[in-house]
Amino acid sequence: MGVALMKLAQWTAAGHGTGTLEITPLNEAILKEIIMFVESFIYKHPQEAKFVFVEPLEWNTSVAPSAFESGYVVSETTVKSEEVDKNGQPLLFLSVPQIKIRSFGQLSRLLLIAKTGKLKEAQACVEANRDPIVKILGSDYNTMKEDSIALDILGKITRDDDPESEIKMKIAMLLKQLDLYLLNHSLKHISLEISLSPVTVKKDIELLKCFSGKGDQTVLESIEYTSDYEFSNGCRAPPWRQIHGEICYVLVKPHDGETLCITCGAGGVFLNGGKTGDEGDINYERKGSIYKNLVAFLREKSPKFSENMSKQMGFCHVGQAGVELLASSDLAVSAYGISFSEDQQKEKDPLGKAPKKEEAAALRKDISGSYKRSLEKNQINFGRNQMTKRWEPSLNWKTTVNYRNKGSAKEIQEDKRTGKLEKQRPSVSHGRAQLLGKSAEKIEEIVSDSSSESEEDEEPPDHRQEASADLPSEYWQIQKLVKYLKGGNQTATVIALCSMRDFNLAQETCQLAIRDVGGLEVLINLLETDEVKCKIGSLKILKEISHNPQIRRNIVDLGGLPIMVNILDSPHKSLKCLAAETIANVAKFKRARQVVRHHGGITKLVALLDCAHDSTKPAQSSLYEARDVEVARCGALALWSCSKSHTNKEAIRKAGGIPLLARLLKTSHENMLIPVVGTLQECASEENYRDAIKAERIIENLVKNLSSENEQLQEHCAMAIYQCAEDKETRDLVRLHGGLKPLASLLNNTDNKERLAAVTGAIWKCSISKENVTKFREYKAIETLVGLLTDQPEEVLVNVVGALGECCQEHENRVIVRKCGGIQPLVNLLVGINQALLVNVTKAVGACAVEPESMMIIDRLDGVRLLWSLLKNPHPDVKASAAWALCPCIENAKDAGEMVRSFVGGLELIVNLLKSDNKEVLASVCAAITNIAKDQENLAVITDHGVVPLLSKLANTNNNKLRHHLAEAISRCCMWGRNRVAFGEHKAVAPLVRYLKSNDTNVHRATAQALYQLSEDADNCITMHENSAVKLLLDMVGSPDQDLQEAAAGCISNIRRLALATEKARYT
């Protein structure tokens, strides 16, 4: 951390002083890596986590004392950890607001307590402790900030006589490794940032000077350098500032604000502290955010600049010199109407033809009118985003456009008389982006299966390539076709649409070319005309190009989705199909799905599934006609995309979608079945859907389609079964309809990992039923599952291990797993970090440990130690599963008592888990303590660690599972010293008597045994009698459970003997 914090972290002080960390992406990345290191330290390095720092780390915290729970002594303004050093000082001490921490273990726990505020805590800690390594290891280790290496550290520690030298060495090495990782990670982060050059900055400033001066139409009043001297490298900043990446400083006077002193550097542009004192020295410290370039900065600071820049760059006449300047500068705008001369256009046009005068006039009208409307249509997001990016020279600058020509009512009427089909609605003409011949790498769609409409859309930024004169001919040809779409009559429009479809619309160059020359607005406008041919042509193009993530977002921004939803009511089936398919492509992100629902799209899409009832022919025959099948298929495809949202799932159910999907599932058309099953798979995560799926007898058809030749269909059917098989009735239906055999056979095909994950998931859930496990054993599925324990992705391993955990509940299957060599790969998986995988693998290892031969292998592979270490895992589910797994391990291990004692700090750890708030963790730990306490030495140790008061504290619970194992633990712990008396003193007896009123037989048996042990103490007998235990125990003497009979009778006997002894003493 030393070198990374000193050299790479960005501090607010410009050159000296303490300062604070700046809010930058690099600092945030460094802090997140430090947080991950500290959070995982407590369970990756448990011994080192207990090491006490030489000096405490101190800072002002925002964590309230009320956030601390078990393990801390809490008051209104102070918190002390129960964990102390050898001098009795707490390792964590909080006196609001100052906190002092002296171990990594407490640091890790604090971050877990801070939850969402952990980043703020880490920042405060780093700012207050600029040299944390010295405080952790001592002043001798400050050389770690320099270029020391591991051998220097080792030499230093081996010369030290400190008994903690070895731990210090490990911590020093770990911190050194973290430092190197932060350096590498930061350098990668820095390498991705865009860097400005002196030439770029100079061109930007010179161009802005051309548009500055007095008058309302200029973009700025003035812009000038603070220094007239220019160094040979093009910088004007002093040499001692150039080493910080600073290029120059400029004074800018906007029309609507005070003079701004701005720093232009390689990392961006920002506001500095301005000139100070009479000598005019500059305060170099940054006073705000960093912007990509000067124009972006000024647009943010000056609304007048933004407005005038748009006007100047959009409508002014640019001469030859101006064009050269614009073309050579990164500041140049992809403008609405800035144009080359005709001669220049000839050079750009790949066909070597200058545009006709009529085309140029039509283009001028369209550009000027659309730009004016775009300023009014401010809700179009990507139009605004375009203005925030670095502007680029336009690719289709035509003959000079007069900025005064903004389109008139007369011109609009002329457009109408020419038969133009496009409706006059607000639109935005985009600046044309430069595209290379090869398409850019697409930004992945982020679509979560459990996405929520309330979450903010995760929309990737508009991705455009760098300028290039080498553009494919398709770009220019598409540009001309869009012009015909804008200004042509009906015939010209149809021909242009057909010609556009001849291009390879799957190529990103063509997709973005349509968008960049304003084609998207025209295509969407055509959807509102009354001409069916134009609508069909437009939808066919939109369907193809909407596979591009940027395009689909632009379609939503332009209001295209509501128009497509309205087309779903059209009597023309071809239009319905195309509209539904396009909706399916566009609705890949949350905002789009929300728009579809808000405009009634879900109900209309569900109606498409029932399109056969609109026909005069019988439903059964009409349904299988090609056109009707296609309409239903497209509707299912759109519903599949929309069903990623919980709210949409409920809307589909309320619209009556389940019976229609069930009917379509009976068809033999695979292209229909895939979206139908896909929709059902998405919706089956909801309990309401699972009940409806059973009611509609859908499971039978899902099982039938598992035998299909189509891998995608198999995958979705298996995933649907996985979602539905949480219910026992569904698991039985899968077996009764013969679904287990095809699932077992699909395990042999491991090439398709997505399908394999779905199949193993279905097998896991079906294995919960014992009858299904028997079938899987017959089909040799268990041997195949063992073979999948290696070289598989985690999503497959989670399901495979989960299935084995269920199968190994039976003796025959445990033998199969052991003979197939499955124990070792299972134990190897205990060192992972995937929570779901750890929960399943601990269950599987625990199930195997029931068999003595398997337990010997687990012990030899150090599996019990690995299970014990998982008790330190921060996730409660992992802790609970590990504790349950330890029970059969302790029960079946040879010399279990000695094995348990060999784990340093193990008994203390498991006793401390009784302070947990999680009921499952408490029940599992009580069960483990029951087995541990069978050994007298271990029972003595856990008694010294305070197991009696902790168990007594849990007695007032209503959870039957916890009651059962708690009573068993108390029963076992009574067999040491005066523990029986101690349980009475801690008031554990009276709550136990109430357990006898439970309806659970297991609770009765365990409680009776505990009361029998406690009744050996006279005071406990009195407490039982006072709480009416005798009457409840008498009823249980007649129980068919022999153990319960004996324990109840023994307890009554002890109470009776005490009563007789008391009576006898009274009369003698």
Side-chain angles (χ1 to χ4, degrees), residues 285-297:
E285 187 167 348
R286 180 163 66 86
K287 297 299 183 182
S289 302
I290 300 175
Y291 295 83
K292 289 185 177 180
N293 53 54
L294 195 54
V295 173
F297 173 87

Side-chain angles (χ1 to χ4, degrees), residues 565-615:
V565 169
N566 291 334
I567 292 174
L568 296 175
D569 291 327
S570 170
H572 298 277
K573 292 182 178 178
S574 297
L575 278 177
K576 287 182 179 180
C577 290
L578 289 168
E581 274 196 279
T582 311
I583 290 171
N585 291 340
V586 175
K588 298 289 188 184
F589 63 105
K590 288 174 267 187
R591 184 159 56 89
R593 293 192 288 269
Q594 192 176 39
V595 171
V596 173
R597 184 178 71 252
H598 286 171
H599 288 85
I602 300 297
T603 305
K604 293 178 181 181
L605 289 170
V606 169
L608 294 187
L609 304 180
D610 197 25
C611 65
H613 288 277
D614 295 332
S615 174

